[in-house]
Amino acid sequence: MNIVFLGPPGAGKGTYAKELVKMLGIPHISTGDMFREAVASGSELGKKVEEILKKGELVPDDLTISIVKERLAKEDCEKGFILDGFPRTVDQAKALDEILKMLNKKLEYAIYFEVSEDVVVQRITNRRVCKNCGKIYNLITLPPKVDGKCDVCGGELYQREDDKEEVVKRRYRVYMENTYPVIEYYQKQNKLFTVDGSSGVDSVIKEVLNIIRG
Ligand code: AP5
Ligand code: MG
């Protein structure tokens, strides 16, 4: 099952993907997570992208496409994948079609989570993430049981560097300009499925399952 998740920053892509991959037995591939891991490890890639992420701008297409190409060729993608945060430009979407063709695969579902800008800013400024296992919380909608600690592993919760209000607004503008056209790209291919991302996590996940299970 080859799936792409689309939607503005804070739409819930990571939250839904993390739950769904457990049910579907396929990997969750988040380019944002890959870039943040690179920054944290201090690798060459991390040094290249650190400032770009901080400002909420897009990493250049060639660099992003090459890491996705390498990742999709791995054995664990044999039964499918959920791509979260890629493609983010029409050129990335075209490149994905090429990569999948080369691998003898096809994209089946482009699922678009529709959420308003107000909800996005509210969700992101209250987001906290576990440093250890990556579980995503929200101080208002999905709070941890103990302040500052992960329910699952006890790890410390932190706020992403690009989750400050002014950077969030910049990310939203970048999304509208560069990523919104990708939605139309998949509509033309008859692969687009729109889900109301403003309802609760469980109901959004149920709706995605309805789509992919027909
Ligand atoms: P990335 O990490 O992909 O960030 P994003 O797309 O801006 O999306 P987010 O991770 O902020 O939001 P999400 O939709 O995953 O929401 P979440 O589940 O966390 O990218 C970061 C940066 O990397 C980019 O700015 C760019 O620089 C670079 N980059 C990445 N990919 C790239 C590419 N392809 N090309 C170029 N550059 C790239 O949920 C948000 C909050 O809401 C959480 O607190 C959660 O608990 C809560 N929540 C979620 N769903 C619900 C719900 N239904 N009800 C109530 N609360 C909810
Ligand atoms: Mg995310």
Side-chain angles (χ1 to χ4, degrees), residues 18-168:
K18 279 178 204 293
E19 288 308 310
L20 283 158
V21 293
K22 287 189 227 159
M23 301 173 193
L24 302 172
I26 54 178
H28 168 210
I29 303 174
S30 156
T31 40
D33 286 349
M34 288 160 99
F35 290 138
R36 278 185 292 280
E37 277 157 26
V39 171
S41 74
S43 67
E44 277 310 306
L45 173 66
K47 284 179 199 148
K48 277 190 203 157
V49 303
E50 188 168 12
E51 285 308 308
I52 301 174
L53 262 69
K54 250 189 214 165
K55 288 191 219 149
E57 281 162 14
L58 292 184
V59 173
D61 279 348
D62 53 348
L63 192 56
T64 309
I65 290 164
S66 73
I67 69 161
V68 171
K69 189 174 178 184
E70 200 176 304
R71 183 64 187 87
L72 287 177
K74 294 210 167 137
E75 226 182 282
D76 65 340
C77 296
E78 219 34 55
K79 286 198 193 125
F81 52 80
I82 296 181
L83 258 176
D84 155 12
F86 183 96
R88 246 177 162 92
T89 62
V90 171
D91 282 345
Q92 289 184 11
K94 289 180 184 161
L96 178 62
D97 283 344
E98 287 300 311
I99 294 168
L100 293 177
K101 205 164 146 193
M102 244 172 44
L103 295 168
N104 257 325
K105 295 182 206 273
K106 246 193 196 156
L107 185 74
E108 293 164 278
Y109 306 96
I111 301 181
Y112 165 45
F113 301 100
E114 200 171 28
V115 195
S116 72
E117 186 176 1
D118 290 349
V119 172
V120 160
V121 174
Q122 248 275 343
R123 279 190 188 169
I124 297 196
T125 46
N126 289 296
R127 168 167 55 195
R128 298 295 182 273
V129 184
C130 175
K131 237 180 199 161
N132 183 43
C133 73
K135 187 167 169 64
I136 305 165
Y137 294 88
N138 188 287
L139 298 182
I140 295 169
T141 57
L142 300 158
K145 291 190 183 106
V146 179
D147 242 15
K149 280 214 183 316
C150 178
D151 295 353
V152 180
C153 72
E156 187 193 331
L157 304 188
Y158 81 105
Q159 185 167 27
R160 265 169 53 177
E161 194 129 20
D162 59 350
D163 279 357
K164 298 180 191 107
E165 196 167 337
E166 70 275 13
V167 185
V168 174

